[in-house]
Amino acid sequence: MKILVINCGSSSAKFQLFDIDTGDVLAKGNAERIGIDGKLTYKPAGKDEFVSTEPMPDHKVAVRMILDALVDPEHGVISDVSEIAAVGHRVLHGGKYYSESVIVNDDVKKVIRECFPLGPLHNPANLIGIEACEDVLPEGTPQVAVFDTAFHQTMPPKAYTYALPYELSEKYDIRRYGFHGTSHRYVSHRVADFLGKKYEDLRIITCHLGNGSSFAAVKDGKCQDTSMGLTPLAGICMGTRTGDIDPAIVPFLMKNERFTPDEMDTLLNKQSGVQGVSGVSSDFRDLEKAANEGNDRARLALDMFAYQGKKIIGSYAAAMGGVDVIVFTAGIGENTDHMRKAMCEGLEFMGVEFDDSVNAGLRGKEAIISKPSSKVTVCVIPTNEELAIAQETERLVR
Ligand code: AMP
C-alpha cells in the first residue's frame, strides 16, 4: 500500500511517499515558496534529485506538481496517482476534540478550522493542504489527519489545567495541549518493542530534543504530562523560544520597552532561547563549538538547556512514582552525546547508571546508553514522524 504524507506550512508542503508494506520511502521532497514564486525539490529513491522552479501560486498547484513529479515517466516512482491509497496530513492542533488520528470528513475540517486561534500559523495551512489534495486526487482517496496534540489528550485535568480563573480557561479553551505528539507516541512505543517489554507496564520519559524540544511522561500506556502547553513555547528553553519563564516578565518588558503584543510574541518565540542567551546561534553544533572555544554565554546556554531538561526528567519521575525508561530523540537527542550525558548526570539517586562508553560518539542509532545494572534504562531512539503518520494513516484506512 502506498501512502503519501504531507506536512503543509503557510508557504511550503513537505512530502514523502511510503510503500508502507516495506517501510521504504519511494520519494520525498519539499514544495517551497508557494504563493511567492515556487521551488519544488523532489528526490526519488535511487535516482538523482530534481528541482523545478515553475510558478506555484497556491497549494493546489503545489500538490498537483508533487503528484506530477511522482508519476513523471523519467523521475516518477508510480505510474498513476490512483496507486496512492491514502494521504496522511500532519495537523498541528486538534484542540480538546481528538485524542487519535481521524479520517477527514466535513466535521473534522470544521474542528481544524475551529482550532485556528490555537494554531494560527499551522492549522490554516494544514487545512489548505487537505483541501488541495481533495481537489487534485481521485475522488474518494481517503485523507487522514494526524494531530500533534492528540497523544497528550490522555493527560488528567490536574496536569493540563492552568491556575487561571476557570471561566476564562473554559471560554477560550486555555489549557495544556502539548505538541510533538506523533514523535512521543512513536518513540515510546518503539522503545517498548526495542526492549521487548509491554508498553503498558513501563513508566517512560520521552525527551524530544530538537530545534523545538518537549518531554512527555507516559505511564499505563498513556501520556500523563508533557512540557509544552497551550502553545509550543512552554517547557524547556529551545533554539529561539524562551520555554517557561516567570509570566510577569511579559508585562514588565511590554511596559518598559513599549513592546506591542506582536513584538512581544516575536521576542519570546524567535529571539530568545539558547540563541538569545548565547548571542551565537540556535544550532547546538555552533553552540558546542563556541563553548569549546571559550565562549561563556554559549556554555551558559548549553548548561541551562541540560539543567532544565534534568529538572523536567526529575519532576516526571516524581509524578509517575518512578521511571523505568528515559528515551532521547530528535536532532539533539539523537546526535549530541554531551547533552544526553549532561542531562543524565546526577540522576544516580533515582537509579540512572549512565554508560558513556556506549553514549560517546553515538549518533542516530537505536541503543541502550545505561549500564546493564541500571535500574532506569536510558535509550536513544531516532524519531520518524513521517513514518509514524504513514503508519497511522494505514491503520485507519485498512
Ligand atoms: P531537529 O529540530 O530535530 O531537526 O533538530 C535540530 C537541532 O539538532 C539543531 O540544534 C542541531 O544543532 C541539532 N543537530 C542536528 N544534527 C546534529 C548533529 N549531527 N550533531 C549535533 N547536533 C545536531
Side-chain angles (χ1 to χ4, degrees):
M1 184 187 269
K2 303 205 171 79
I3 307 269
L4 180 63
V5 172
I6 294 205
N7 181 1
C8 264
S10 52
S11 66
S12 69
K14 288 195 199 123
F15 63 94
Q16 292 195 17
L17 181 69
F18 285 90
D19 180 338
I20 202 71
D21 303 315
T22 59
D24 290 343
V25 177
L26 302 175
K28 62 179 176 179
N30 193 7
E32 295 167 272
R33 301 180 60 84
I34 302 169
I36 305 165
D37 38 27
K39 179 179 175 196
L40 173 70
T41 313
Y42 166 81
K43 171 80 179 74
K47 295 187 197 165
D48 288 341
E49 187 176 277
F50 158 86
V51 178
S52 156
T53 48
E54 269 179 55
M56 269 184 229
D58 57 36
H59 282 74
K60 204 163 138 180
V61 175
V63 170
R64 188 162 284 138
M65 284 174 64
I66 292 169
L67 296 177
D68 285 348
L70 291 171
V71 298
D72 185 271
E74 212 176 310
H75 337 276
V77 290
I78 50 176
S79 45
D80 194 90
V81 289
S82 61
E83 286 181 47
I84 299 172
V87 186
H89 295 266
R90 181 180 194 174
V91 180
L92 181 80
H93 227 299
K96 61 187 176 192
Y97 303 100
Y98 292 118
S99 56
E100 290 285 344
S101 307
V102 283
I103 296 190
V104 175
N105 58 22
D106 287 345
D107 290 340
V108 174
K109 286 199 271 183
K110 199 164 146 234
V111 167
I112 297 175
R113 200 171 285 113
E114 265 174 38
C115 293
F116 278 5
L118 295 171
L121 296 180
H122 296 86
N123 269 40
N126 300 151
L127 186 60
I128 288 172
I130 290 171
E131 293 184 332
C133 286
E134 284 175 343
D135 285 347
V136 172
L137 277 159
E139 209 182 325
T141 309
Q143 316 268 334
V144 170
V146 180
F147 299 98
D148 245 27
T149 50
F151 180 62
H152 307 300
Q153 278 295 304
T154 50
M155 285 186 291
K158 66 183 176 192
Y160 70 66
T161 308
Y162 288 122
L164 288 165
Y166 198 78
E167 301 71 28
L168 273 179
S169 297
E170 280 197 316
K171 181 174 174 189
Y172 293 106
D173 286 331
I174 297 173
R175 49 164 283 177
R176 183 186 301 282
Y177 289 100
F179 298 88
H180 295 140
T182 309
S183 175
H184 288 293
R185 187 197 301 270
Y186 176 83
V187 297
S188 59
H189 278 280
R190 179 68 210 130
V191 82
D193 284 350
F194 177 63
L195 297 173
K197 301 258 170 75
K198 207 162 154 235
Y199 186 57
E200 288 75 16
D201 292 345
L202 293 174
R203 292 164 298 181
I204 308 170
I205 299 174
T206 45
C207 315
H208 177 110
L209 310 180
N211 203 22
S213 298
S214 67
F215 295 69
V218 183
K219 185 183 172 190
D220 301 329
K222 287 189 189 137
C223 176
Q224 307 289 340
D225 206 342
T226 191
S227 60
M228 284 180 166
L230 173 74
T231 75
L233 182 58
I236 188 171
C237 61
M238 304 173 218
T240 60
R241 294 174 232 170
T242 54
D244 291 345
I245 57 170
D246 180 345
I249 295 168
V250 175
F252 178 91
L253 280 179
M254 288 179 79
K255 271 188 214 143
N256 287 291
E257 291 286 318
R258 299 187 189 286
F259 288 142
T260 63
D262 281 349
E263 285 168 344
M264 196 62 222
D265 200 52
T266 303
L267 181 135
L268 297 169
N269 276 291
K270 305 218 165 111
Q271 295 162 356
S272 300
V274 293
Q275 156 88 62
V277 172
S278 68
V280 171
S281 172
S282 62
D283 191 302
F284 277 64
R285 285 165 288 200
D286 300 339
L287 289 176
E288 286 210 355
K289 183 166 178 286
N292 290 338
E293 287 166 3
N295 185 312
D296 290 340
R297 275 170 50 192
R299 174 63 59 205
L300 172 64
L302 290 171
D303 288 349
M304 284 169 63
F305 189 80
Y307 178 65
Q308 293 183 10
K310 192 198 309 268
K311 286 204 295 184
I312 295 173
I313 292 171
S315 69
Y316 285 178
M320 294 193 290
V323 54
D324 303 303
V325 184
I326 299 171
V327 193
F328 288 99
T329 195
I332 300 160
E334 290 166 27
N335 294 300
T336 309
D337 51 1
H338 294 295
M339 191 49 69
R340 293 189 297 251
K341 185 175 174 212
M343 264 187 205
C344 290
E345 231 157 34
L347 297 184
E348 295 79 12
F349 77 94
M350 54 184 231
V352 175
E353 289 178 59
F354 198 75
D355 188 350
D356 203 34
S357 69
V358 185
N359 173 60
L362 184 90
R363 281 179 197 284
K365 267 207 314 238
E366 291 186 345
I368 298 174
I369 53 171
S370 52
K371 296 191 173 145
S373 53
S374 184
K375 259 171 56 193
V376 180
T377 309
V378 185
C379 293
V380 176
I381 300 283
T383 193
N384 191 337
E385 288 171 279
E386 291 75 19
L387 177 62
I389 292 172
Q391 288 172 341
E392 283 281 287
T393 304
E394 186 221 8
R395 185 175 64 77
L396 281 168
V397 300
R398 269 243 191 244

